[in-house]
Structure formats: structure tokens, C-alpha cells
Amino acid sequence: VHDRARLLAEQSPVPLCACRETGFPFWTNAAHRALFGIAEDAVQGRSVVACAAVYEQDGCVTCHTTGRHTDGREFPIQLTARRLVLDDGPIVMCSQIDLTSLRKTEAALDHAEREAVLGRLAGRVAHEVNNPLEAIKIYIEPLRNRVQDRPEVAHGLTVIDQQVDRIARLVRGLLGFVRQRALQRTAANLAEVIHTVVELFQPRFTK
């Protein structure tokens, strides 16, 4: 590698290495050595896969593969190899970019997109559910005033009112979950829960 080009390549933040036809590098820059955890005097003997593939032909090859750090840790990389013809013969210049951060960013964006879609869907469901619930609540009070002399019917309206409130709380809980609000734990009276369930299904039991 020419001295001037070599100086620029050495200072590049992109991990670079130069190989012969065998695929073994004879030069790497600091970014490359840091990526793989190798010392400058340990460059020889570390084969770079796919470098030899472009040695005998013009053009550029890009592929995704796996890199291995000297501590044994593996990570995804994008390898780009290009053949260059210099005064002392052809070489292959390779860049090897760590895709770990990119993969994490892509995963985070994908997760955020799914959450956004889920949030819009939950908002639409909440809107469609809350509207009829409000209509039911509006009609319950006048009906309760008309059936004051019929305790069993008034009680049924009270149960309906309570269940409408329960559905509304569930809808709010769904929206809170989708919007990643902190869940709040509350104590529940098991006897009251059982009593509510029995009361809710009492009309079926009496048939």
C-alpha cells in the first residue's frame, strides 16, 4: 500500500485490511485490530473469508458473515471486498463493519413500529367500545327511576351499571398497557369478587 494511502487508511474509522490472493491479510488498520482484538504483530495468519474470491476479477463483493473476536465472541459483520491493482501487483481491500449496533437499532425500530400499530388499534377498539358503553350508562338512570317499585329489576340495572364500569376500566387498562404505562397493583377482596360473579350469573341460575 502506498505510504500516503496507507496513512489515510490507518486513520480511517472503518475497519480495513489488505489481502493477497490467499485471503490472508498483510496489513490492517487500527479500527480493524480493535474490532477483532488483535495486535498489529499478529495480523499474519488470520484469513479473511471471501477476499480471495475477487482477487482474480474486477469488481466488488459484499456479503454478511460472522466475525470472531480473540476472546471468542462472535458478531455479525458486513464484509466488502474490492480488487485494486498496485505497482507491485493486485491486492484486495476489505472493509468489515460490525452490524451489532445496526441490528439492535433495526430491532428497536421494528418493535417501536409494532407498538405504534398496536397503539392505534387499541385506540380504535377503545373508541368503538366506549361509545356504546356511554349510551348504556345514559339509559340506565332513567330506567332505574321507572322501576323503583320493582327491586329485582332495579337490582339488575345496578349490576349492568357495574359491569359497564368494569368494561370501561378494562379498556383503560388496555390503553395503559399499550402505551407502556406503569402497572398499578391494587388489593382485591376475594369474597366480593365471588359475590359479584354469582350476582352476575344469578339470572341464569334461576332459569
Side-chain angles (χ1 to χ4, degrees):
V1 180
H2 294 296
D3 292 340
R4 187 175 180 182
R6 182 168 183 167
L7 178 61
L8 293 174
E10 175 64 30
Q11 297 173 350
S12 172
V14 178
L16 300 172
C17 68
C19 307
R20 297 295 184 185
E21 71 277 11
T22 58
F24 288 95
F26 61 88
W27 171 87
T28 62
N29 69 350
H32 183 280
R33 296 190 293 273
L35 177 63
F36 290 94
I38 57 177
E40 188 172 4
D41 57 358
V43 172
Q44 295 291 343
R46 296 182 59 85
S47 177
V48 178
V49 180
C51 288
V54 297
Y55 185 78
E56 297 297 338
Q57 59 185 10
D58 294 327
C60 179
V61 171
T62 298
C63 64
H64 288 182
T65 183
T66 301
R68 182 187 293 273
H69 196 274
T70 52
D71 62 8
R73 174 176 52 88
E74 293 187 343
F75 49 92
I77 62 173
Q78 175 180 292
L79 186 148
T80 301
R82 179 180 294 275
R83 181 176 183 266
L84 302 175
V85 179
L86 304 180
D87 294 340
D88 56 348
I91 65 169
V92 176
M93 285 294 297
C94 297
S95 66
Q96 300 179 76
I97 300 175
D98 186 358
L99 298 178
T100 303
S101 297
L102 178 61
R103 296 281 172 83
K104 289 181 179 180
T105 302
E106 289 176 344
L109 289 175
D110 185 55
H111 179 70
E113 183 177 357
R114 288 198 304 270
E115 283 195 338
V117 172
L118 184 60
R120 290 194 295 269
L121 178 61
R124 180 66 181 273
V125 170
H127 176 75
E128 295 298 331
V129 171
N130 283 331
N131 281 346
L133 291 182
E134 287 297 327
I136 294 173
K137 294 281 286 186
I138 290 172
Y139 280 97
I140 284 177
E141 197 59 36
L143 288 174
R144 185 182 285 120
N145 293 333
R146 294 181 183 181
V147 297
Q148 291 180 355
D149 57 340
R150 301 175 62 184
E152 70 283 358
V153 177
H155 178 70
L157 291 175
T158 299
V159 172
I160 293 173
D161 195 20
Q162 291 173 346
Q163 295 307 308
V164 167
D165 290 339
R166 179 171 176 268
I167 295 173
R169 287 195 300 271
L170 290 174
V171 171
R172 289 195 298 270
L174 172 64
L175 287 175
F177 174 77
V178 171
R179 294 168 182 171
Q180 296 296 310
R181 291 177 181 171
L183 297 179
Q184 294 182 350
R185 295 184 178 182
T186 57
N189 188 314
L190 185 58
E192 289 182 1
V193 173
I194 295 174
H195 178 73
T196 301
V197 172
V198 172
E199 219 175 24
L200 180 61
F201 287 95
Q202 186 67 35
R204 295 187 181 182
F205 297 155
T206 56
K207 288 183 180 180

